[in-house]
Amino acid sequence: MTWRLRVDPIACDGRGLCAELLPECISLDDWGYPIIESPEVSGRLMTHARRAVAMCPTLALLLEDTP
Amino acid sequence: MSSGDEVPRLLRGLTSDGRPLSLTEHLALHGPVPAARARRDPDRNLVAEIERSGLRGRGGAAFPVALKLAAVGARRGRRVVVVNGCEGEPVSSKDRVLLNQSPHLVLDGATVAARAVGAAQIVVATKLDSAAVVEHAVAERVRARLDEPTPRVVVVPDRYVAGQESALVNFLNSGRSAPTLVPPRPFERGVGGQPTLIQNAETVANLALIAGNGAEWFRRLGPAADPGTVLVTLTGAVERAGLYEVARGTSISVLLQRAGGPSAPVQAFLVGGYAGSWLTAAAGREACLDEASMAARGAVVAVGAVTVLPDTACGVAETARILRYLAEESAGQCGPCVHGLASIAGSADELARGIAERDVVTRLERWAGQIAGRGACHHPDGAVRMLASALRCFSDDVAAHRSGRPCPAAPPAGSRHRRGVLR
């Protein structure tokens, strides 16, 4: 099963926690908003991805399963 | 019925004084729409006929209409048809002209769409300046016992992003004219949470013609992959600016001839509106008004607006002005759009004035790459596409401005230059 990261850009406030917790997948643009560099998450990164999702203060980071 | 080989189709019979065609006049021109009443179930034969017509959406994305009809028709619920007459694009007036002068053609098309998907509700979303005419036309139809369901007319704020699909659904549901996160898309959960078909007013008017004349007739004009006509709002340095209807696939040079030619030597064309693309004079003249021809030149037909930039104007300054407009028209919800477009507009403005830093083009390109695809809607994407085309089209001018040589057409220092030569 592959999971995909997605940002809700309306909810996102650009706090930047996700890029600190999951630098393997997420970087920040020039204004501090997340860019999903590699959306597909699997294996050992899942724990980190779940933590990043849970820690987002505005609940803007989504982890969705892909059929 | 007409033979179908000539234009105008959509603008047929419009009066020169701009008044709306009455129901009687409309019926004399176009005849009644066959089987105009919506039923509870989708009309598969009608959808198949529309599929054969090859009609694509005229609101900007050029998505095949039959696919959208089938997607909505396949969902359970009290389906809704929304006619999108918001037309936020400043250099486009096609939907306003259709709604104000041929409201019954659009309403005919709305009933065709409603029958195709089995809709329980029709909404016509317009700007304030079309609402009274459409209301009057709906009343005429109610008296003639024409439509079922009776269309509801809703006035939408005159903002650039108001006609964006999710923003329109959001406005109809909550009164807030701002895009929402998709999915869910309108066909899944739209107006009142019901499966919703949203089609541009020009698209809907074409549905009426297809239902009345057949797919075969519709395909007699335009390329096989992109048939029909296109309504073109022609503005800028042209002898007779205004709204034209030509077969899709018509070249811009033929369109210009119909409009009496350019009124000054042409420097460039802006095709597809503010979120469209700049083409050099040479490339633009050869370009044809169909999606394949435009795509080959990195452009889109989109809403069909064509603006002629004279050689006395400054493409860099025009681009900066449009970017400022688009930045200010952001719904203000998504960081990459709010901050990205503001930064891009600021740097483009400095470039136009000849006061930008040396690396301004690299910076603009980096920002353009960063914000594309990162808004809830495609507003930032359109702005970035227009910017990228400007950097290509006006590359010599950009280099000159970058070395601190603003052209005479650039705005004076200290001014915000909201008005350009085009509008």
Side-chain angles (χ1 to χ4, degrees):
Chain A
M1 165 98 60
T2 311
W3 294 74
R4 283 182 74 87
L5 285 164
R6 184 160 77 114
V7 174
D8 175 348
I10 298 174
C12 178
D13 249 358
R15 311 282 181 98
L17 259 69
C18 55
E20 290 209 24
L21 293 168
L22 197 59
E24 295 88 347
C25 302
I26 301 174
S27 65
L28 296 180
D29 67 16
D30 288 13
W31 309 278
Y33 290 83
I35 299 174
I36 309 286
E37 302 284 356
S38 46
E40 292 190 355
V41 184
S42 57
R44 63 169 191 89
L45 276 181
M46 276 303 290
T47 316
H48 298 283
R50 286 218 174 84
R51 185 179 304 141
V53 168
M55 295 287 281
C56 174
T58 59
L59 306 180
L61 187 63
L62 313 170
L63 192 57
E64 300 167 327
D65 59 343
T66 50
Chain B
M1 292 292 123
S2 63
S3 74
D5 296 335
E6 69 276 334
V7 286
R9 286 177 171 180
L10 298 165
L11 302 182
R12 197 150 75 90
L14 294 202
T15 60
S16 52
D17 58 5
R19 74 175 171 82
L21 296 174
S22 70
L23 182 56
T24 315
E25 291 170 315
H26 167 76
L27 288 172
L29 270 171
H30 293 283
V33 170
R37 258 156 236 282
R39 297 177 298 196
R40 259 192 71 220
D41 296 317
D43 185 334
R44 287 177 211 291
N45 292 335
L46 183 54
V47 175
E49 185 72 5
I50 292 161
E51 187 177 2
R52 279 192 292 278
S53 79
L55 175 66
R56 289 169 176 273
R58 307 299 202 227
F63 193 78
V65 173
L67 288 181
K68 257 183 153 183
L69 293 170
V72 174
R75 309 291 294 197
R76 291 173 163 284
R78 292 178 55 77
R79 300 175 204 94
V80 183
V81 165
V82 177
V83 177
N84 188 349
C86 300
E87 197 165 51
E89 180 57 58
V91 286
S92 178
S93 60
K94 67 189 182 82
D95 296 326
R96 182 167 52 81
V97 169
L98 272 182
L99 286 164
N100 277 328
Q101 298 194 53
S102 203
H104 290 291
L105 189 62
V106 179
L107 292 170
D108 276 355
T111 66
V112 171
R115 185 179 175 90
V117 303
Q121 198 191 139
I122 298 173
V123 178
V124 183
T126 84
K127 291 199 278 196
L128 185 60
D129 56 3
S130 304
V133 168
V134 181
E135 291 271 18
H136 179 80
V138 169
E140 280 182 290
R141 298 167 80 90
V142 167
R143 279 197 299 277
R145 298 175 186 277
L146 270 188
D147 301 333
E148 186 59 42
T150 300
R152 177 164 65 97
V153 182
V154 176
V155 176
V156 174
D158 188 5
R159 293 294 306 273
Y160 196 85
V161 297
Q164 200 277 331
E165 278 196 357
S166 72
L168 184 49
V169 168
N170 192 13
F171 178 73
L172 293 171
N173 285 340
S174 74
R176 253 195 99 231
S177 178
T180 58
L181 184 69
V182 292
R185 299 191 180 280
F187 81 88
E188 298 165 310
R189 199 186 315 151
V191 175
Q194 302 299 320
T196 299
L197 176 82
I198 302 181
Q199 292 288 3
N200 166 265
E202 180 186 353
T203 314
V204 167
N206 274 300
L207 286 178
L209 296 181
I210 292 165
N213 302 288
E216 194 78 356
W217 170 89
F218 181 77
R219 300 183 61 83
R220 279 186 213 156
L221 289 176
D226 191 7
T229 65
V230 53
L231 292 181
V232 186
T233 315
L234 187 58
T235 54
V238 60
E239 284 296 337
R240 290 191 300 274
L243 185 64
Y244 292 84
E245 183 176 10
V246 294
R248 290 183 85 79
T250 302
S251 72
I252 290 182
S253 74
V254 168
L255 172 73
L256 272 180
Q257 281 166 23
R258 274 197 56 189
S263 58
V266 177
Q267 177 180 178
F269 297 95
L270 179 63
V271 180
Y274 281 12
S277 306
W278 287 104
L279 294 173
T280 61
R285 276 207 188 82
E286 284 174 20
C288 297
L289 293 157
D290 61 87
E291 295 302 339
S293 173
M294 285 298 163
R297 292 163 176 83
V300 283
V301 179
V303 294
V306 174
T307 304
V308 185
L309 187 76
D311 67 351
T312 49
C314 174
V316 179
E318 286 304 319
T319 299
R321 184 184 61 79
I322 294 170
L323 285 168
R324 172 66 65 194
Y325 174 88
L326 292 175
E328 288 176 359
E329 285 294 313
S330 166
Q333 298 190 115
C334 305
C337 184
V338 172
H339 301 286
L341 288 191
S343 301
I344 284 175
S347 282
D349 195 51
E350 287 173 4
L351 179 64
R353 293 164 195 271
I355 55 169
E357 289 172 30
R358 293 287 304 173
D359 67 344
V360 61
V361 174
T362 323
R363 198 163 3 126
L364 283 170
E365 282 169 347
R366 182 176 80 239
W367 287 342
Q370 281 188 355
I371 72 172
R374 289 180 55 234
C377 76
H378 292 303
H379 183 65
D381 307 352
V384 158
R385 177 171 59 201
M386 192 278 295
L387 168 65
S389 73
L391 294 176
R392 285 194 305 269
C393 179
F394 305 117
S395 56
D396 293 348
D397 264 353
V398 167
H401 281 78
R402 202 166 56 110
S403 13
R405 279 183 283 134
C407 58
S415 85
R416 291 265 316 238
H417 75 288
R418 290 296 305 277
R419 288 192 69 81
V421 291
L422 301 184
R423 196 183 149 83

